[in-house]
Structure formats: structure tokens, C-alpha cells
Amino acid sequence: MRRSGGVVWLKIVVAVVSTAALLTYAVCRPPVRHQVGGKDRWKPNVNYTDWSLQETFYVGDWLYFVYDKHMFNVLEVNETSFINCNDQGFIFNITRGAGRDVFELTQPKPYYFLASGGYCYNGMKVAINVVEFVPAPQPSPATSGGYTITGINQLISSITVAVWAVITLLKN
């Protein structure tokens, strides 16, 4: 009895995608949700500069603003508006009405946020700097005078596992 070609190709695709996902996870980091202000949340009279300096923000991370939806909002602004607490001509209104709003950090750059209605003057503003994630370098293996290409063993192992998985699936 012969199997359909579609089933074989499906198994190959599953194996390749699974291997790619594992390789990607090895060099990436999962996104982090940063609650703005920590336990103090988004409210007046909080030092958000101190909070932001204690955090590291990477592309793909999320900011999570928690606040009283009847009193406050969150606007993304440019640096000049941030410095002057100017809520006119904002870039993006993050407020969605629930008082629990998220914002994805999609680019490596500085971001500026503030609350309108004069609350910015009471400290409701935060500037953060977003950077690209760079995985830590692999430790160099001990060598006995020979040349070593960093990471080649992991690559060969990954390819071997992928080939083995495809062969195993084709036999079944």
C-alpha cells in the first residue's frame, strides 16, 4: 500500500518548520511585557525616569499601561512634545478605554509617552530607549592549536537532526 504524496510533503513541512522554530528560539528571546511604573502603574507623582532606567527594552517587547480610565490616557509623542508636556499633534493615542492598554515596541529607537490634561506636569510621562536584542556570544571551546569556527557544531547538529527527522518521516 502506497502513501499519498501529500502526506509525505506535509510531514516534511512539519519537520522543517519545527526545526526552524527551534533554531530561531535558540538565538531569539521571547518578548517581555513591561508594566509601566511597575507596582505604581500609570498615575501622577511617580518617577518614571527611575523606573525606565531599571528596565531594558528590546524590539518586540510590549509596554503595559494600567491606569484609571476615567482620569488618564496615554499618548505617544515626539521628543519636543515630551520635554514641553505638549499633547497636541501626538503620534499615536494608545488609550483604548479599558485602562489596561498595551503598546508594542517595533523599532530600535527612543519612544516618548505622556498623559494629557495637564497630568504630564505631575510626572505622567516616560521616555524609553529600545534596542535590538543581541544574543550573548557562545563561549569559545578549548582548542589544541587548531582553528575553530564558532557555532559550527551547533549548526551541524541542527542540520543532522532535521535530516534525521525528514528521513524518519519518509520511512513512516
Side-chain angles (χ1 to χ4, degrees):
M1 185 162 86
R2 195 171 159 187
R3 289 188 171 223
S4 140
V7 173
V8 171
W9 280 109
L10 178 62
K11 288 183 175 183
I12 291 171
V13 168
V14 168
V16 170
V17 169
S18 299
T19 303
L22 289 173
L23 289 173
T24 301
Y25 189 77
V27 296
C28 295
R29 73 183 262 294
V32 173
R33 184 186 73 178
H34 302 270
Q35 183 169 305
V36 177
K39 64 178 176 27
D40 290 324
R41 301 181 178 183
W42 186 241
K43 63 183 182 183
N45 304 314
V46 173
N47 189 332
Y48 293 103
T49 301
D50 285 350
W51 170 80
S52 69
L53 292 175
Q54 300 299 315
E55 303 282 324
T56 303
F57 304 96
Y58 294 106
V59 172
D61 284 356
W62 294 81
L63 295 180
Y64 180 47
F65 291 88
V66 180
Y67 55 92
D68 181 342
K69 68 180 182 178
H70 301 292
M71 296 185 66
F72 311 120
N73 64 358
V74 184
L75 305 174
E76 180 187 8
V77 296
N78 63 32
E79 183 179 17
T80 304
S81 294
F82 175 80
I83 291 167
N84 297 318
C85 282
N86 181 0
D87 59 7
Q88 302 301 309
F90 56 85
I91 297 169
F92 185 69
N93 184 352
I94 297 164
T95 310
R96 295 289 170 245
R100 282 159 179 64
D101 297 315
V102 293
F103 181 85
E104 184 177 11
L105 305 169
T106 59
Q107 298 176 27
K109 68 174 193 170
Y111 285 86
Y112 304 94
F113 303 94
L114 56 78
S116 64
Y119 291 106
C120 177
Y121 296 108
N122 291 326
M124 288 186 74
K125 65 181 190 173
V126 63
I128 63 165
N129 189 44
V130 177
V131 296
E132 289 280 355
F133 175 72
V134 179
Q138 297 292 326
S140 298
T143 61
S144 57
Y147 294 101
T148 303
I149 300 173
T150 306
I152 195 72
N153 291 337
Q154 293 169 334
L155 179 61
I156 291 171
S157 296
S158 298
I159 292 170
T160 303
V161 168
V163 169
W164 172 82
V166 169
I167 291 171
T168 302
L169 289 173
L170 289 175
K171 286 181 180 180
N172 294 331

